Amino acid sequence: MQRLLIVSNRLPITIQEKRGELHIEPSVGGLATGLRSWYKSSPSIWIGWAGIGRKKIKKEKDIMSRLLAENCHPVPLSQPDVEAHYYGMCNRTIWPLFHYFPLYTEYSDDFWQAYERVNMAFANVVAGIAKPNDIIWIHDYQLMLLPRILREKLPKATVGFFLHIPFPSFETFRLLPWRQQILEGLLGADLIGFHTYDYTGHFMDSVHRLLGYEVAMGQITADDRLVKADAFPMGINYEQYSNVDQDLQVQAERKRFRRKLGDCRVILSVDRLDYTKGITQRLEAFSLFLDRNPNFKRRVILVLLVVPSRTRVEHYMQLKKQVDGLVGEINGKYGTIGWMPVWYLYRSLPFHPLAALYTLADVALVTPLRDGMNLVAKEYTATRVDGKGVLILSETAGAAQELGEAIIINPNNQEEIAQALVKALEMPEQEQIERNRVMNKRLHRFDVVRWANEFTEKLLSTKKLQREMEEKALTYEMQRKLTGDFQHSDKTLLLLDYDGTLVPFSAKPAEAIPGDRLLRLLGKLAKNHKTEVVIISGRTKNTLEGWFGDLDVGLVAEHGVWIKEKGGGWETIETLTSDWKKEVHPILESWVDRTPGSFIEEKEFSLVWHYRKANPRLGELRARELINNLSSTVASLNLQLLEGNKVVEVKNAGINKGRAALKWISREKWDFILALGDDWTDEDTFKALPSTAWSIKVRFGTSAARFSLSSPSEATSLLRKLVRGR
Ligand code: ADP
Ligand code: G6P
């Protein structure tokens, strides 16, 4: 089994100094609580900050050995770096911005420099521990530069990254002065995971818009690497929570709580004290609920369990005061002798009393304004073994995408929360059982083990794919072999795609004109008496004629509709009609209307919808919709749909580049064939080749081609070698 190195800012245990003495305590927050129960089940090491400065750790040998006994390796950080990294860049900049609190966000160069230094310090520790076969799994927003630094230090390492908080929309992310460095930092990983598809989409969007990389179907083609991004909603240790009812310690704690709570119904609220959790709004909604429903007075208690968090950050200090004030206000306003509406606990509870509160609560009120996932909602639901109990959950928590049977509310709508409380407290038992049954089934199947396994499996499969592509890369030695073969052959055929192969893509097709240097190169190749050059393109015959008409080359236009032999005229491959266009054109027009930036290109026997300039996510979505929409029309009119690079093309069935290429392939006894192509439409050419041919895909990606080159400039430099003979 491969060793796993978990890397997160915080270790699962934190050292705290209390009255001059150091104590080890479990760390709070979903990342630590979620992963803690799982990481020991595999051979793993956890690398992170221990919560105190490096001088203190060094002095306390005992603490160090206790950390190592837990497989935890502390990263030594100086106090000033902790101040500017953890209390600065992490929790005054990234945390508020990524949770859509731009007004709380501070931008400081000092914070940023500390962020770089701390990520580097982590990289030094990880690189010192990592062995070649390890899986390195980096967690969360405090370490977004680490994947790239590690990639530079350990180019072959298997590196995954998981973000436990939301990835904001492009409009919000772009506000960050260091947005580019953050994205490049993340792209050092092989796989980047998020809690939801929305966050994944936001990330892909930003990568495309800010770095210009091609993104499609969860895959990013960075300069020379393929990186994957996907959604992996984090689960909990389901066994542990679903069995708490049986636990004697939990039963004892529950009795103790019950004695104090009397026979009041219990509404439970559990979070770190964080402004993203919507605690003040929740209290106000509870107050409104009591106001509107006097019949519930003296019959319900809100247990407000709040863990101290980031207490030195100003907005957290202010929040503490606000919560204290609101609790006092509500208790003062509605409380009576013998009934305190809000029970306020400001501390971290050990597992057993926390679980006892979960099992006791009639309602869990989980109303964050924004939350990457929210494990509290899942933990509460998992304890509902008898099926009773109601979860009220905010639509802006990642967990809402999996727990749709909860009462879903908008956390800013206090009226709605107050009504949800009534609904929850009055919900018939059978309905509660039915809702919890469905949610529990899901939580059981998608627990934390499955989450971690799915992530690591996908990470390993991404690595495998990268390796296969690397193996396909046309190395320097292979290029020498190829040029040698070419030199020693008497009849050579070059089948060359144009866009994306000989020239890079431009936003508008008309702008991708061949330069003089490329024309000279093609001219020289074509002049060689033993060589036949054919340009096989999706372009119109007029365009190809205009660009290459003076060269002594064969041409194929519109993906195989038109063929022109060297020195001959244009012919269609078979008799074709274009009557169908009047039916298809209006459909494409309506897609142009619905997709800003897209447009239609009309060719003699085909229609093409281009969406390269459209918003990438919208473009992909609309392309899928268009393909679905056209499928029946296409079948009835004997047409076919081709999906190229950011294009959907409709044309007569049975026409493709492979069929056109066969005209040349089958005509002579070639002793050397080279085919270059970059996209889906070139796959037909590759498939039509004899097995001895040199087939090269000019881009990363799966392909029937035997080899790959990474860019058009590499492709043209290979062709130059053929001209030079070396
Ligand atoms: P976040 O990661 O933002 O803190 P989550 O809801 O995902 O939010 O995770 C919170 C974790 O902390 C849960 O596992 C929960 O059990 C734990 N937790 C929250 N409040 C307390 C508390 N007062 N005492 C102990 N554990 C707590
Ligand atoms: C959230 C974050 C974690 C963080 C935790 C506790 O869960 O996603 O990365 O560790 O909160 O916050 P803290 O600042 O105490 O580490």
Side-chain angles (χ1 to χ4, degrees):
M1 204 174 183
Q2 275 175 283
R3 205 169 63 141
L4 179 65
L5 305 191
I6 298 177
V7 192
S8 69
N9 182 54
R10 216 179 248 295
L11 285 170
I13 42 186
T14 297
I15 302 168
Q16 288 192 345
E17 190 167 6
K18 283 183 192 156
R19 285 175 234 102
E21 284 194 23
L22 299 184
H23 296 263
I24 290 196
E25 308 208 335
S27 303
V28 294
L31 188 167
T33 56
L35 275 174
R36 188 166 35 222
S37 64
W38 167 79
Y39 91 101
K40 284 195 177 160
S41 62
S42 62
S44 46
I45 290 176
W46 199 318
I47 298 164
W49 173 53
I52 53 165
R54 80 178 145 210
K55 282 193 195 142
K56 281 197 178 130
I57 281 220
K58 268 196 189 154
K59 267 202 292 184
E60 302 282 333
K61 295 233 164 54
D62 171 45
I63 293 273
M64 191 66 188
S65 55
R66 282 172 68 189
L67 287 174
L68 292 176
E70 296 280 325
N71 284 348
C72 289
H73 283 249
V75 177
L77 298 176
S78 70
Q79 202 48 42
D81 274 356
V82 170
E83 278 308 314
H85 169 259
Y86 175 72
Y87 289 106
M89 189 68 198
C90 296
N91 291 319
R92 285 186 162 97
T93 311
I94 302 174
W95 179 272
L97 188 69
F98 278 39
H99 285 86
Y100 297 87
F101 281 78
L103 290 179
Y104 283 19
T105 307
E106 293 173 35
Y107 302 105
S108 144
D109 281 332
D110 290 344
F111 290 176
W112 173 250
Q113 282 153 18
Y115 192 77
E116 288 181 309
R117 275 197 305 276
V118 169
N119 274 258
M120 185 55 88
F122 268 77
N124 290 335
V125 174
V126 177
I129 294 176
K131 294 187 187 147
N133 216 18
D134 289 344
I135 297 176
I136 303 172
W137 192 3
I138 303 165
H139 292 264
D140 230 358
Y141 64 103
Q142 303 89 344
L143 299 174
M144 291 191 281
L145 301 181
L146 183 54
R148 187 189 171 119
I149 307 176
L150 276 181
R151 180 67 50 213
E152 281 159 12
K153 283 182 183 282
L154 310 167
K156 295 225 169 300
T158 303
V159 181
F161 181 93
F162 192 86
L163 187 72
H164 290 257
I165 65 173
F167 195 96
S169 70
F170 170 68
E171 282 305 327
T172 301
F173 181 70
R174 74 193 306 189
L175 301 177
L176 197 64
W178 311 279
R179 57 202 187 182
Q180 207 140 329
Q181 291 96 313
I182 294 277
L183 293 179
E184 278 163 359
L186 289 170
L187 289 177
D190 302 304
L191 172 65
I192 303 162
F194 301 89
H195 281 306
T196 72
Y197 285 103
D198 283 342
Y199 308 156
T200 316
H202 291 162
F203 170 71
M204 300 291 251
D205 220 19
S206 288
V207 166
H208 182 72
R209 290 178 177 211
L210 294 167
L211 302 183
Y213 292 143
E214 283 294 318
V215 299
M217 308 284 174
Q219 194 161 296
I220 301 151
T221 314
D223 284 337
D224 53 354
R225 297 177 62 241
L226 178 140
V227 177
K228 295 240 181 192
D230 208 344
F232 302 87
M234 187 178 184
I236 55 165
N237 181 340
Y238 187 80
E239 288 302 320
Q240 186 187 19
Y241 286 94
S242 61
N243 286 326
V244 286
D245 216 37
Q246 316 292 323
D247 188 298
L248 295 179
Q249 237 178 306
V250 172
Q251 288 173 4
E253 293 284 357
R254 190 170 54 215
K255 266 195 201 137
R256 197 169 61 83
F257 280 125
R258 184 41 85 195
R259 265 201 306 277
K260 295 197 175 139
L261 290 159
D263 37 358
C264 280
R265 314 276 305 275
V266 174
I267 302 167
L268 180 63
S269 153
V270 180
D271 328 72
R272 276 183 309 101
L273 186 72
D274 198 300
Y275 49 83
T276 60
K277 302 287 181 183
I279 302 172
T280 53
Q281 292 81 350
R282 193 179 307 161
L283 281 166
E284 279 161 4
F286 180 64
S287 172
L288 185 71
F289 157 78
L290 290 177
D291 210 37
R292 295 273 158 84
N293 304 280
N295 53 326
F296 278 110
K297 285 183 185 162
R298 285 176 299 281
R299 288 177 50 214
V300 293
I301 285 178
L302 171 66
V303 176
L304 187 73
L305 178 55
V306 190
V307 202
S309 184
R310 305 170 195 167
T311 44
R312 282 166 44 204
V313 178
E314 196 191 340
H315 287 295
Y316 290 75
M317 295 181 204
Q318 283 169 2
L319 179 64
K320 170 77 171 57
K321 284 195 195 128
Q322 284 168 1
V323 171
D324 289 354
L326 267 169
V327 170
E329 231 172 74
I330 296 172
N331 281 340
K333 185 169 172 192
Y334 301 102
T336 58
I337 292 176
W339 178 62
M340 191 164 60
V342 184
W343 261 39
Y344 177 30
L345 307 176
Y346 179 58
R347 72 188 78 126
S348 173
L349 281 191
F351 177 74
H352 292 102
L354 175 65
L357 281 174
Y358 279 150
T359 60
L360 189 87
D362 300 281
V363 179
L365 189 57
V366 186
T367 59
L369 301 177
R370 274 296 155 178
D371 210 332
M373 170 50 74
N374 196 289
L375 295 183
V376 167
K378 293 188 168 182
E379 291 167 4
Y380 170 75
T381 308
T383 64
R384 310 284 91 207
V385 273
D386 65 358
K388 285 182 250 164
V390 181
L391 172 66
I392 299 176
L393 180 59
S394 164
E395 64 193 16
T396 40
Q401 305 207 358
E402 291 164 87
L403 302 176
E405 291 76 16
I407 302 181
I408 303 289
I409 52 90
N410 171 346
N412 296 308
N413 188 339
Q414 293 180 3
E415 191 73 52
E416 194 183 17
I417 301 177
Q419 282 167 15
L421 280 172
V422 177
K423 183 171 171 186
L425 289 163
E426 291 177 346
M427 187 180 283
E429 255 180 39
Q430 200 43 45
E431 186 178 343
Q432 299 179 26
I433 291 170
E434 191 45 37
R435 287 177 185 241
N436 285 321
R437 190 184 60 75
V438 183
M439 292 195 282
N440 268 309
K441 219 168 135 192
R442 222 173 283 137
L443 291 179
H444 192 181
R445 269 158 38 91
F446 294 93
D447 65 356
V448 69
V449 178
R450 171 127 180 214
W451 169 74
N453 286 346
E454 283 193 358
F455 184 90
T456 45
E457 274 162 24
K458 175 121 188 191
L459 175 57
L460 293 176
S461 72
T462 306
K463 211 64 205 165
K464 191 161 159 253
L465 187 66
Q466 288 175 346
R467 244 176 257 134
E468 281 167 13
M469 286 182 184
E470 269 170 33
E471 279 160 18
K472 276 193 169 188
L474 192 72
T475 57
Y476 183 68
E477 286 71 37
M478 291 306 276
Q479 296 196 21
R480 284 192 27 188
K481 165 131 183 34
L482 185 151
T483 26
D485 280 8
F486 179 74
Q487 294 303 314
H488 298 117
S489 303
D490 298 323
K491 283 223 126 319
T492 64
L493 175 64
L494 307 184
L495 303 169
L496 310 176
D497 167 54
Y498 179 69
D499 292 281
T501 298
L502 298 179
V503 292
F505 284 103
S506 15
K508 288 192 192 141
E511 284 168 3
I513 300 167
D516 289 346
R517 198 157 173 240
L518 176 62
L519 290 172
R520 271 201 308 276
L521 170 66
L522 294 171
K524 280 185 193 158
L525 284 168
K527 262 201 198 121
N528 186 337
H529 66 279
K530 69 174 188 183
T531 301
E532 177 127 14
V533 178
V534 186
I535 295 172
I536 307 186
S537 167
R539 297 278 183 162
T540 62
K541 65 182 195 327
N542 289 344
T543 308
L544 293 187
E545 188 65 44
W547 288 345
F548 307 111
D550 293 341
L551 299 179
D552 208 8
V553 298
L555 295 173
V556 175
E558 296 190 21
H559 297 114
V561 170
W562 292 100
I563 287 185
K564 186 187 166 203
E565 298 272 357
K566 202 159 80 164
W570 286 99
E571 290 167 15
T572 51
I573 209 161
E574 62 183 51
T575 317
L576 298 170
T577 68
S578 56
D579 297 351
W580 53 268
K581 280 189 185 169
K582 55 182 181 300
E583 284 196 44
V584 175
H585 206 280
I587 303 178
L588 298 190
E589 268 169 24
S590 74
W591 253 256
V592 170
D593 293 341
R594 297 170 58 218
T595 320
S598 72
F599 61 92
I600 302 170
E601 181 188 6
E602 179 156 2
K603 302 182 191 174
E604 217 156 326
F605 292 107
S606 72
L607 287 174
V608 193
W609 181 68
H610 288 255
Y611 60 94
R612 180 169 308 280
K613 281 189 77 184
N615 169 306
R617 282 179 71 203
L618 181 68
E620 294 293 339
L621 178 75
R622 291 278 186 262
R624 298 261 73 76
E625 289 174 357
L626 177 62
I627 289 164
N628 281 342
N629 188 291
L630 282 174
S631 56
S632 56
T633 317
V634 158
S636 64
L637 295 174
N638 196 27
L639 302 171
Q640 63 174 327
L641 277 176
L642 284 187
E643 255 191 287
N645 195 310
K646 307 284 178 204
V647 296
V648 175
E649 177 152 5
V650 188
K651 62 179 354 163
N652 294 73
I655 306 290
N656 62 53
K657 288 184 175 178
R659 190 167 160 202
L662 267 176
K663 278 206 76 109
W664 277 270
I665 295 169
S666 57
R667 206 179 48 207
E668 307 259 0
K669 244 187 138 345
W670 306 101
D671 45 13
F672 176 98
I673 302 180
L674 166 67
L676 292 173
D678 76 303
D679 77 10
W680 202 87
T681 62
D682 301 307
E683 291 299 311
D684 290 317
T685 310
F686 297 143
K687 285 180 199 150
L689 297 172
S691 58
T692 48
W694 291 86
S695 49
I696 303 174
K697 180 172 168 92
V698 184
R699 193 152 59 102
F700 289 105
T702 39
S703 168
R706 288 169 58 209
F707 301 99
S708 73
L709 285 172
S710 65
S711 63
S713 67
E714 283 200 3
T716 47
S717 93
L718 175 70
L719 295 177
R720 249 173 230 116
K721 286 180 188 167
L722 297 187
V723 172
R724 285 201 307 266
R726 65 195 151 80

